[in-house]
Amino acid sequence: MHDHHHHTASERIGLAFALNFVFTIIEFIGGYLTNSTAIMADAVHDLGDCLAIGSAWVLNKIGNKEASQLYSYGYRRFSLLGALINGVVLVLGAIWILSEAIPRLANPEMPDATGMLGLAILGVTVNGYAAYQLSHGKTLNERMLNWHLLEDVLGWVAILVLSLVLMVVEIPILDPLLSIGFTLFILFNVVKTLLETLRLFLQATPDQALRSQIQADLQAIDHVSDIHHLHLWSLDGEHHVLTAHLLLNQDYSQPELVVFKANIAAAMAKYELSHTTIELEFPKENCRDLPGRFSPNLNHEHPNHDHHH
């Protein structure tokens, strides 16, 4: 199921790239002809998007490769790298637009409103279609790219409204004002996604509520007296990895153990985790992973040392 989803993710990103690339060229020419710095700024911005989408596309393809000796978890984290790069490109692009638009508040120039209108209609259509295609995606990468495209759609809607206004009245200062407004809005959202990506990159728990829920479900299994070294992290924001140590309050025969493990599997099934490793510890056993700073004869009376991690 996941492979199919990722195959189409790659196709969606490829399509968005092709549309964006062709359109960026049209924009540069259009911006030059209409003397609209808003469109020129948008063109440079779209060029940044092209680079971002291209890298995302390549990284998404790499992400589908089978696990290897070197990358034993597979290559999914590469798409996280893609999301990180894209976020940075987008932030830089936004800063660039602000640096262009702010000085123009002082002496705005009047652009060719009719030409702007034509480009804006085209822009909304092309980017809207690409954004619609990517909105079906769930990967962080696709979400980041969707922001790129939504940003472009918003930009074009702004240019559309602006060109209509400029056809009626000459208020050229509206042009930079508009680009500043929508750039700040996007910047806010991208920074949020960028921080989320960075957290996953640093192997933070992808979802603390989910971790607590998993812990509660494991704790609820019969004869589990304690859980420690419970680690939940994510390969790409979508495929999670879980490891945990369960301390049991009784010894088990082989057949009972099989049933017990089936109970764990049943409890974990709904989470659709990509990799799970569960260590079982019997009453008289010491935990292999106890940090050295604890006394070696520490028995399991205080096994909660790891809960706060």
Side-chain angles (χ1 to χ4, degrees):
M1 168 198 141
H2 279 304
D3 284 340
H4 170 71
H5 160 79
H6 274 277
H7 172 62
T8 49
S10 188
E11 282 178 359
R12 283 195 292 263
I13 293 174
L15 175 72
F17 174 74
L19 284 173
N20 231 15
F21 183 70
V22 172
F23 192 62
T24 302
I25 296 167
I26 295 171
E27 268 181 286
F28 272 113
I29 300 167
Y32 176 73
L33 294 176
T34 54
N35 181 35
S36 164
T37 34
I39 290 178
M40 273 304 213
D42 218 50
V44 173
H45 194 80
D46 265 8
L47 186 64
D49 283 1
C50 273
L51 295 174
I53 294 173
S55 73
W57 190 47
V58 171
L59 288 165
N60 200 73
K61 275 203 170 320
I62 294 173
N64 293 335
K65 282 167 61 175
E66 290 299 305
S68 65
Q69 290 274 321
L70 184 61
Y71 294 102
S72 62
Y73 276 107
Y75 291 77
R76 295 205 187 279
R77 283 182 85 70
F78 279 83
S79 79
L80 215 52
L81 182 64
L84 206 58
I85 293 169
N86 294 349
V88 171
V89 168
L90 210 48
V91 168
L92 292 176
I95 291 169
W96 186 83
I97 288 194
L98 291 175
S99 74
E100 283 294 299
I102 292 168
R104 280 188 31 228
L105 293 172
N107 54 350
E109 281 180 37
M110 190 64 191
D112 166 13
T114 320
M116 283 174 75
L117 180 65
L119 275 171
I121 292 169
L122 189 63
V124 170
T125 315
V126 173
N127 286 298
Y129 178 70
Y132 170 73
Q133 286 296 321
L134 280 184
S135 67
H136 303 307
K138 294 187 192 67
T139 59
L140 255 179
N141 211 338
E142 283 179 287
R143 274 172 46 204
M144 193 56 113
L145 290 178
N146 205 21
W147 268 114
H148 280 252
L149 296 166
L150 276 179
E151 175 175 4
D152 295 337
V153 173
L154 280 174
W156 283 114
V157 168
I159 290 174
L160 183 81
V161 173
L162 179 70
S163 60
L164 291 172
V165 171
L166 291 178
M167 282 166 132
V168 186
V169 284
E170 277 206 30
I171 321 175
I173 196 166
L174 291 177
D175 179 16
L177 278 177
L178 225 84
S179 50
I180 291 169
F182 96 82
T183 302
L184 289 175
F185 166 70
I186 293 292
L187 203 51
F188 171 73
N189 284 293
V190 169
V191 167
K192 257 188 358 195
T193 314
L194 199 54
L195 289 174
E196 184 187 338
T197 307
L198 206 56
R199 275 202 301 274
L200 290 177
F201 217 74
L202 297 173
Q203 295 195 341
T205 303
D207 179 340
Q208 293 187 22
L210 178 67
R211 185 188 185 279
S212 308
Q213 209 180 338
I214 288 176
Q215 180 155 5
D217 281 1
L218 287 172
Q219 198 86 58
I221 298 170
D222 281 345
H223 307 303
V224 172
S225 69
D226 177 63
I227 300 174
H228 48 277
H229 283 302
L230 175 65
H231 304 294
L232 176 69
W233 57 280
S234 188
L235 293 173
D236 60 357
E238 205 185 351
H239 299 83
H240 300 339
V241 180
L242 172 79
T243 61
H245 290 203
L246 306 187
L247 176 64
L248 312 181
N249 60 13
Q250 63 169 58
D251 287 315
Y252 280 85
S253 65
Q254 174 74 39
E256 287 172 325
L257 203 52
V258 172
V259 173
F260 180 76
K261 286 169 85 168
N263 291 343
I264 295 178
M268 293 296 100
K270 66 177 178 218
Y271 296 113
E272 295 189 350
L273 299 158
S274 289
H275 301 268
T276 50
T277 310
I278 309 249
E279 168 85 275
L280 304 179
E281 292 168 9
F282 296 102
K284 295 197 171 54
E285 223 182 334
N286 272 331
C287 173
R288 271 180 310 148
D289 291 345
L290 275 183
R293 65 177 181 273
F294 290 91
S295 63
N297 62 358
L298 176 79
N299 55 19
H300 282 288
E301 258 116 64
H302 309 287
N304 296 324
H305 65 273
D306 208 27
H307 275 243
H308 58 277
H309 282 319

